[in-house]
Protein backbone atom coordinates (compact mmCIF):
# COMPACT_ATOMS: atom_id res chain seq x y z
CA UNK A 1 0.00 0.00 0.00
CA UNK A 2 1.23 3.51 -0.78
CA UNK A 3 1.50 5.47 2.47
CA UNK A 4 1.97 9.09 1.50
CA UNK A 5 3.83 11.87 3.29
CA UNK A 6 4.00 15.10 1.34
CA UNK A 7 5.29 18.67 1.52
CA UNK A 8 3.82 21.10 -0.99
CA UNK A 9 4.45 24.84 -1.13
CA UNK A 10 2.99 27.00 -3.88
CA UNK A 11 4.93 29.93 -5.34
CA UNK A 12 2.29 32.30 -3.96
CA UNK A 13 3.12 31.34 -0.37
CA UNK A 14 4.42 34.29 1.70
CA UNK A 15 5.10 34.04 5.44
CA UNK A 16 4.19 37.70 5.91
CA UNK A 17 0.71 36.95 4.58
CA UNK A 18 -0.09 34.23 7.14
CA UNK A 19 -2.12 36.58 9.41
CA UNK A 20 -4.62 36.91 6.51
CA UNK A 21 -4.59 33.14 5.83
CA UNK A 22 -6.51 30.17 7.24
CA UNK A 23 -4.95 27.07 8.82
CA UNK A 24 -6.63 23.64 8.88
CA UNK A 25 -4.90 20.89 10.89
CA UNK A 26 -5.75 17.19 11.09
CA UNK A 27 -3.90 15.25 13.77
CA UNK A 28 -3.94 11.63 14.92
CA UNK A 29 -1.95 9.37 17.21
CA UNK A 30 1.37 9.55 15.38
CA UNK A 31 0.88 11.74 12.32
CA UNK A 32 -0.45 15.18 11.46
CA UNK A 33 -1.15 17.19 8.34
CA UNK A 34 -2.16 20.74 7.60
CA UNK A 35 -3.41 23.02 4.85
CA UNK A 36 -2.85 26.77 4.59
CA UNK A 37 -5.15 28.77 2.32
CA UNK A 38 -5.17 32.44 1.37
CA UNK A 39 -8.03 34.93 1.64
CA UNK A 40 -9.50 33.60 -1.63
CA UNK A 41 -9.45 29.99 -0.31
CA UNK A 42 -6.55 29.07 -2.60
CA UNK A 43 -4.17 26.43 -1.24
CA UNK A 44 -0.75 27.85 -0.36
CA UNK A 45 0.86 24.95 1.49
CA UNK A 46 0.08 21.34 2.38
CA UNK A 47 2.31 19.33 4.68
CA UNK A 48 1.99 15.89 6.31
CA UNK A 49 4.43 14.34 8.77
CA UNK A 50 4.82 11.42 11.16
CA UNK A 51 5.77 12.01 14.79
CA UNK A 52 5.95 10.19 18.14
CA UNK A 53 2.63 10.13 19.98
CA UNK A 54 3.93 12.24 22.86
CA UNK A 55 5.76 14.83 20.73
CA UNK A 56 4.63 18.46 20.68
CA UNK A 57 4.55 18.38 16.89
CA UNK A 58 3.11 21.90 16.61
CA UNK A 59 6.38 23.25 18.04
CA UNK A 60 8.47 21.55 15.37
CA UNK A 61 7.11 23.57 12.45
CA UNK A 62 7.73 27.32 12.49
CA UNK A 63 4.72 27.99 10.26
CA UNK A 64 2.38 26.69 12.95
CA UNK A 65 3.61 29.32 15.37
CA UNK A 66 2.36 32.17 13.19
CA UNK A 67 -0.89 34.07 13.61
CA UNK A 68 -3.77 33.11 11.32
CA UNK A 69 -7.12 34.63 10.49
CA UNK A 70 -8.87 31.34 11.29
CA UNK A 71 -7.67 27.99 12.63
CA UNK A 72 -9.50 24.67 12.43
CA UNK A 73 -8.09 21.72 14.37
CA UNK A 74 -9.48 18.20 14.04
CA UNK A 75 -8.57 15.08 16.00
CA UNK A 76 -8.76 11.76 14.16
CA UNK A 77 -9.08 8.79 16.49
CA UNK A 78 -10.96 5.45 16.48
CA UNK A 79 -12.72 5.95 19.82
CA UNK A 80 -15.99 7.43 18.60
CA UNK A 81 -19.62 6.60 18.01
CA UNK A 82 -22.60 8.19 16.27
CA UNK A 83 -25.89 8.73 18.04
CA UNK A 84 -29.19 9.68 16.38
CA UNK A 85 -30.02 13.30 17.17
CA UNK A 86 -33.39 12.30 18.64
CA UNK A 87 -31.63 10.12 21.25
CA UNK A 88 -28.73 12.44 22.03
CA UNK A 89 -28.40 13.65 25.63
CA UNK A 90 -25.48 15.97 26.29
CA UNK A 91 -25.41 15.07 29.97
CA UNK A 92 -25.06 11.38 29.14
CA UNK A 93 -22.23 11.62 26.59
CA UNK A 94 -19.77 9.63 28.69
CA UNK A 95 -22.24 6.82 29.34
CA UNK A 96 -23.13 6.58 25.66
CA UNK A 97 -19.50 6.19 24.64
CA UNK A 98 -18.37 4.08 27.63
CA UNK A 99 -20.68 1.28 26.51
CA UNK A 100 -18.71 0.99 23.25
CA UNK A 101 -15.06 1.72 24.08
CA UNK A 102 -12.63 1.85 26.99
CA UNK A 103 -12.38 5.28 28.57
CA UNK A 104 -9.64 6.65 30.81
CA UNK A 105 -10.01 8.96 33.79
CA UNK A 106 -8.12 11.63 31.82
CA UNK A 107 -10.54 11.51 28.87
CA UNK A 108 -12.98 14.23 28.01
CA UNK A 109 -15.98 13.36 25.85
CA UNK A 110 -16.86 15.78 23.06
CA UNK A 111 -19.77 15.82 20.63
CA UNK A 112 -20.09 17.29 17.13
CA UNK A 113 -23.54 17.76 15.57
CA UNK A 114 -23.99 16.40 12.05
CA UNK A 115 -27.43 17.73 11.06
CA UNK A 116 -27.14 16.48 7.46
CA UNK A 117 -27.36 12.94 8.83
CA UNK A 118 -29.50 13.66 11.90
CA UNK A 119 -26.74 12.53 14.25
CA UNK A 120 -24.11 13.51 16.80
CA UNK A 121 -20.55 12.21 16.69
CA UNK A 122 -19.26 11.46 20.21
CA UNK A 123 -15.54 10.96 20.76
CA UNK A 124 -12.95 10.62 23.52
CA UNK A 125 -9.79 12.69 23.80
CA UNK A 126 -7.22 13.17 26.53
CA UNK A 127 -8.10 16.41 28.33
CA UNK A 128 -4.46 17.45 28.75
CA UNK A 129 -3.80 17.04 25.04
CA UNK A 130 -6.86 19.10 24.20
CA UNK A 131 -5.79 21.84 26.62
CA UNK A 132 -2.31 21.94 25.06
CA UNK A 133 -3.75 22.42 21.60
CA UNK A 134 -6.11 25.15 22.71
CA UNK A 135 -3.20 27.01 24.30
CA UNK A 136 -1.08 26.58 21.17
CA UNK A 137 -3.86 27.51 18.73
CA UNK A 138 -5.83 30.17 20.55
CA UNK A 139 -9.38 30.56 19.25
CA UNK A 140 -9.24 27.44 17.09
CA UNK A 141 -12.42 25.64 16.08
CA UNK A 142 -12.16 22.03 17.21
CA UNK A 143 -13.78 18.91 15.69
CA UNK A 144 -13.37 15.21 15.26
CA UNK A 145 -11.66 14.52 11.94
CA UNK A 146 -14.66 12.58 10.60
CA UNK A 147 -17.15 15.39 11.22
CA UNK A 148 -16.28 17.58 8.20
CA UNK A 149 -15.88 14.48 6.02
CA UNK A 150 -19.32 13.17 6.97
CA UNK A 151 -20.72 16.63 6.20
CA UNK A 152 -19.18 16.55 2.70
CA UNK A 153 -20.06 12.91 2.04
CA UNK A 154 -23.70 13.45 3.00
CA UNK A 155 -23.96 16.29 0.49
CA UNK A 156 -22.08 14.33 -2.18
CA UNK A 157 -24.38 11.32 -1.76
CA UNK A 158 -27.45 13.53 -1.97
CA UNK A 159 -26.20 15.02 -5.25
CA UNK A 160 -25.60 11.55 -6.71
CA UNK A 161 -29.01 10.32 -5.62
CA UNK A 162 -27.89 6.77 -4.88
CA UNK A 163 -26.32 4.73 -2.09
CA UNK A 164 -22.55 4.93 -1.68
CA UNK A 165 -19.87 3.15 0.33
CA UNK A 166 -16.81 5.23 1.29
CA UNK A 167 -13.40 4.08 2.50
CA UNK A 168 -10.92 6.49 4.07
CA UNK A 169 -7.40 5.15 4.72
CA UNK A 170 -4.92 6.75 7.08
CA UNK A 171 -2.23 5.58 9.53
CA UNK A 172 -3.03 1.87 9.26
CA UNK A 173 -6.78 2.38 9.80
CA UNK A 174 -9.68 2.14 7.41
CA UNK A 175 -12.76 4.26 8.17
CA UNK A 176 -15.81 2.88 6.39
CA UNK A 177 -18.95 4.96 5.84
CA UNK A 178 -22.18 3.91 4.14
CA UNK A 179 -24.85 6.48 3.25
CA UNK A 180 -28.17 5.97 1.50
CA UNK A 181 -30.18 9.09 0.77
CA UNK A 182 -29.94 11.06 4.04
CA UNK A 183 -29.39 7.99 6.20
CA UNK A 184 -26.07 6.93 7.70
CA UNK A 185 -26.14 3.13 7.65
CA UNK A 186 -22.59 2.34 8.73
CA UNK A 187 -19.60 4.21 10.17
CA UNK A 188 -16.70 2.50 11.89
CA UNK A 189 -12.90 2.39 12.07
CA UNK A 190 -10.73 -0.73 11.85
CA UNK A 191 -7.02 -1.27 12.39
CA UNK A 192 -5.39 -3.05 9.43
CA UNK A 193 -2.07 -4.89 9.29
CA UNK A 194 -2.20 -6.32 5.78
CA UNK A 195 -3.84 -5.66 2.44
CA UNK A 196 -6.28 -8.51 3.07
CA UNK A 197 -7.40 -6.79 6.29
CA UNK A 198 -8.54 -3.75 4.31
CA UNK A 199 -10.52 -5.92 1.93
CA UNK A 200 -12.04 -7.96 4.76
CA UNK A 201 -13.46 -4.88 6.48
CA UNK A 202 -14.77 -3.42 3.23
CA UNK A 203 -16.68 -6.63 2.51
CA UNK A 204 -17.85 -6.72 6.14
CA UNK A 205 -19.32 -3.22 5.79
CA UNK A 206 -21.16 -4.24 2.63
CA UNK A 207 -22.53 -7.29 4.42
CA UNK A 208 -23.66 -5.25 7.43
CA UNK A 209 -25.59 -2.91 5.13
CA UNK A 210 -27.15 -5.75 3.18
CA UNK A 211 -25.45 -4.50 0.02
CA UNK A 212 -23.55 -6.32 -2.70
CA UNK A 213 -20.12 -5.01 -3.87
CA UNK A 214 -21.29 -5.58 -7.43
CA UNK A 215 -24.20 -3.17 -7.00
CA UNK A 216 -23.13 -0.27 -4.72
CA UNK A 217 -20.12 1.92 -5.65
CA UNK A 218 -17.08 2.25 -3.41
CA UNK A 219 -15.36 5.64 -3.33
CA UNK A 220 -11.92 5.64 -1.71
CA UNK A 221 -9.70 8.46 -0.45
CA UNK A 222 -6.79 9.12 1.87
CA UNK A 223 -3.45 7.33 1.84
CA UNK A 224 -3.95 4.97 -1.07
CA UNK A 225 -2.70 5.06 -4.64
CA UNK A 226 -3.58 3.17 -7.84
CA UNK A 227 -1.60 0.03 -8.67
CA UNK A 228 -1.03 -0.88 -5.01
CA UNK A 229 -1.97 -4.20 -3.43
CA UNK A 230 -4.87 -2.74 -1.48
CA UNK A 231 -6.31 -0.96 -4.51
CA UNK A 232 -5.96 -4.08 -6.68
CA UNK A 233 -7.82 -6.19 -4.10
CA UNK A 234 -10.65 -3.64 -3.97
CA UNK A 235 -10.75 -3.61 -7.76
CA UNK A 236 -11.18 -7.41 -7.90
CA UNK A 237 -14.23 -7.42 -5.64
CA UNK A 238 -16.01 -4.08 -6.23
CA UNK A 239 -17.49 -3.42 -9.64
CA UNK A 240 -17.74 0.40 -9.37
CA UNK A 241 -14.53 1.58 -7.69
CA UNK A 242 -13.13 5.09 -7.86
CA UNK A 243 -11.22 7.80 -6.03
CA UNK A 244 -13.21 10.52 -4.31
CA UNK A 245 -12.67 14.18 -5.11
CA UNK A 246 -14.24 17.39 -3.92
CA UNK A 247 -16.12 19.26 -6.62
CA UNK A 248 -14.27 22.50 -5.80
CA UNK A 249 -10.80 21.59 -7.11
CA UNK A 250 -10.11 25.10 -8.39
CA UNK A 251 -8.59 26.00 -5.02
CA UNK A 252 -5.60 23.73 -5.70
CA UNK A 253 -2.44 25.36 -7.01
CA UNK A 254 -0.01 24.07 -9.67
CA UNK A 255 2.16 22.17 -7.17
CA UNK A 256 -0.77 20.49 -5.43
CA UNK A 257 -2.32 19.52 -8.76
CA UNK A 258 0.71 17.33 -9.45
CA UNK A 259 -0.65 15.00 -6.78
CA UNK A 260 -3.83 12.94 -6.60
CA UNK A 261 -6.53 15.19 -5.13
CA UNK A 262 -8.08 12.36 -3.10
CA UNK A 263 -4.96 12.43 -0.89
CA UNK A 264 -6.13 15.79 0.46
CA UNK A 265 -9.86 15.12 0.75
CA UNK A 266 -9.67 15.08 4.57
CA UNK A 267 -7.92 18.46 4.76
CA UNK A 268 -10.09 20.03 2.07
CA UNK A 269 -13.23 18.90 3.87
CA UNK A 270 -11.95 20.46 7.07
CA UNK A 271 -11.08 23.71 5.33
CA UNK A 272 -14.59 23.93 3.83
CA UNK A 273 -16.26 23.22 7.17
CA UNK A 274 -17.53 26.34 9.05
Amino acid sequence: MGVIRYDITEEAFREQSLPQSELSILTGMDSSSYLITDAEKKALAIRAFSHPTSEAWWQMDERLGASFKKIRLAWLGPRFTLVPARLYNGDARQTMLADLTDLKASDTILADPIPELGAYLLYALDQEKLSEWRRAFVGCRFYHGLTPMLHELAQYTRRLGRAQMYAYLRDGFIYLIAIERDRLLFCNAFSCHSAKDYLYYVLLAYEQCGWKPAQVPLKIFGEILPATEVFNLFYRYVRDLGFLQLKENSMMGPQAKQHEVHLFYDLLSLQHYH
Side-chain angles (χ1 to χ4, degrees):
M1 175 184 156
V3 178
I4 311 302
R5 291 294 181 265
Y6 39 85
D7 191 356
I8 301 167
T9 303
E10 301 292 349
E11 291 186 7
F13 177 85
R14 300 289 185 274
E15 290 191 7
Q16 60 268 30
S17 299
L18 292 182
Q20 289 78 49
S21 305
E22 296 185 5
L23 172 65
S24 299
I25 303 172
L26 181 63
T27 184
M29 291 298 295
D30 53 10
S31 73
S32 298
S33 55
Y34 67 78
L35 165 68
I36 298 174
T37 56
D38 64 17
E40 283 73 44
K41 308 295 185 182
K42 299 287 187 180
L44 295 174
I46 305 174
R47 181 173 288 173
F49 46 95
S50 301
H51 53 74
T53 302
S54 59
E55 183 179 80
W57 48 266
W58 56 92
Q59 298 177 1
M60 308 299 167
D61 190 319
E62 60 182 15
R63 291 176 181 171
L64 298 181
S67 297
F68 290 88
K69 179 181 179 181
K70 181 184 291 185
I71 301 176
R72 303 172 188 86
L73 177 61
W75 161 254
L76 186 65
R79 294 190 300 156
F80 70 90
T81 190
L82 285 117
V83 176
R86 67 182 185 280
L87 302 178
Y88 175 70
N89 180 350
D91 295 330
R93 287 180 298 184
Q94 182 148 347
T95 302
M96 291 177 173
L97 192 57
D99 291 340
L100 299 171
T101 188
D102 293 330
L103 299 180
K104 299 177 291 185
S106 59
D107 283 334
T108 185
I109 311 304
L110 303 176
D112 294 344
I114 308 177
E116 297 82 5
L117 297 171
Y120 278 82
L121 193 154
L122 278 60
Y123 55 105
L125 179 61
D126 184 86
Q127 177 61 57
E128 183 177 348
K129 188 185 295 288
L130 177 60
S131 297
E132 287 180 342
W133 290 339
R134 284 181 166 159
R135 287 193 296 268
F137 303 103
V138 177
C140 72
R141 302 184 180 194
F142 192 84
Y143 314 98
H144 190 276
L146 283 181
T147 298
M149 286 186 266
L150 286 168
H151 169 79
E152 290 287 342
L153 295 177
Q155 294 183 330
Y156 178 79
T157 307
R158 189 180 303 119
R159 290 196 299 270
L160 291 179
R162 61 174 300 189
Q164 299 282 311
M165 182 72 74
Y166 302 98
Y168 169 51
L169 286 74
R170 179 174 169 133
D171 294 340
F173 277 85
I174 186 168
Y175 296 79
L176 289 159
I177 300 160
I179 303 176
E180 185 176 27
R181 298 186 180 89
D182 294 325
R183 295 188 303 143
L184 179 66
L185 300 185
F186 189 91
C187 183
N188 211 339
F190 302 97
S191 177
C192 298
H193 304 284
S194 70
K196 291 182 179 179
D197 288 344
Y198 290 94
L199 177 63
Y200 171 80
Y201 289 119
V202 166
L203 297 180
L204 175 65
Y206 273 99
E207 180 182 347
Q208 291 290 310
C209 294
W211 294 348
K212 296 184 182 300
Q215 297 175 344
V216 177
L218 173 64
K219 300 295 184 183
I220 55 178
F221 59 105
E223 296 174 339
I224 180 171
L225 290 174
T228 57
E229 186 178 3
V230 172
F231 179 86
N232 289 335
L233 279 175
F234 289 171
Y235 187 76
R236 285 174 54 190
Y237 285 86
V238 181
R239 178 175 296 175
D240 189 348
L241 175 67
F243 290 104
L244 185 63
Q245 298 185 8
L246 285 173
K247 62 177 182 177
E248 300 90 348
N249 290 333
S250 59
M251 67 179 292
M252 308 303 286
Q255 297 301 316
K257 286 181 178 178
Q258 296 181 26
H259 301 261
E260 299 282 354
V261 177
H262 74 268
L263 297 171
F264 315 130
Y265 188 91
D266 46 12
L267 285 172
L268 293 170
S269 297
L270 178 59
Q271 197 280 333
H272 288 168
Y273 193 66
H274 295 322

